[in-house]
Amino acid sequence: MEALVLIGGFLYLGVLGFGVMGKIGHFIDGGGFIPEWDEGDAPSAADDTASLDHTKNQKDQKIG
């Protein structure tokens, strides 16, 4: 009887693992968290520094 419960538990884990791996496979095939983009679409370093300067100026205006 104990062997039957053990075998049933292993079968349950196998079916559950199969389903989880299927979900993970679809997630990876779909591109994951960040979809791919062309290098031309990527933000440049100049955009980052310009936005940082803008936020710094806003903070200076609020303080002063």
Side-chain angles (χ1 to χ4, degrees), residues 4-57:
L4 184 63
V5 172
L6 188 63
I7 291 172
F10 283 134
L11 286 174
Y12 176 75
L13 288 176
V15 170
L16 184 68
F18 186 78
V20 168
M21 291 305 294
K23 295 277 187 182
I24 291 173
H26 286 292
F27 174 74
I28 292 172
D29 289 340
F33 289 115
I34 302 173
E36 295 179 20
W37 65 72
D38 295 330
E39 287 184 20
D41 294 339
S44 67
D47 294 339
D48 292 340
T49 57
S51 65
L52 289 175
D53 290 340
H54 179 66
T55 55
K56 180 183 174 193
N57 290 338

